Amino acid sequence: FSRVPSLVDLCINHLAANLDHLTDVRAIGEERLALQLLHRIISSGRLNVRLARIFQQCGHAEIESALASINLLDAIPGPMDPKQPHGPLGRKW
């Protein structure tokens, strides 16, 4: 038997799939839901400075303090980052 996803799971999945449009998460009233979304973002390797700042202002003290303690500059890909679409030093692979 396959489990039918809950409406909450569908919503979190939709938000996680459309991060370019995510501008504010303060409307996520339950901290556990905000954590689920943040976990999916981090697990997929998509946490960047913009998203970290959104979660720093999410209205949930535990998440805000955890993200306030990290160095957001570490989330900025550098020119030697192999994950960049153009490879090291901006050259196309």
Side-chain angles (χ1 to χ4, degrees):
F1 293 91
S2 72
R3 183 178 82 85
V4 175
S6 71
L7 182 56
V8 170
D9 286 336
L10 291 173
C11 290
I12 296 291
N13 289 340
H14 180 75
L15 289 171
N18 294 286
L19 294 175
D20 292 340
H21 304 288
L22 190 66
T23 59
D24 192 351
V25 293
R26 286 177 287 188
I28 301 176
E30 292 185 44
E31 185 172 27
R32 70 176 182 84
L33 298 178
L35 279 170
Q36 281 181 353
L37 177 58
L38 182 57
H39 181 266
R40 288 191 186 156
I41 292 168
I42 292 170
S43 295
S44 66
R46 296 180 67 196
L47 182 65
N48 58 30
V49 173
R50 183 185 72 80
L51 292 171
R53 291 218 186 272
I54 289 171
F55 279 93
Q56 279 181 330
Q57 301 165 4
C58 71
H60 300 294
E62 186 176 332
I63 296 172
E64 289 177 353
S65 66
L67 287 175
S69 68
I70 65 171
N71 182 355
L72 293 181
L73 294 178
D74 289 341
I76 300 173
M80 296 300 288
D81 190 344
K83 295 179 194 166
Q84 289 294 91
H86 296 290
L89 303 176
R91 289 187 218 119
K92 201 160 183 98
W93 289 107

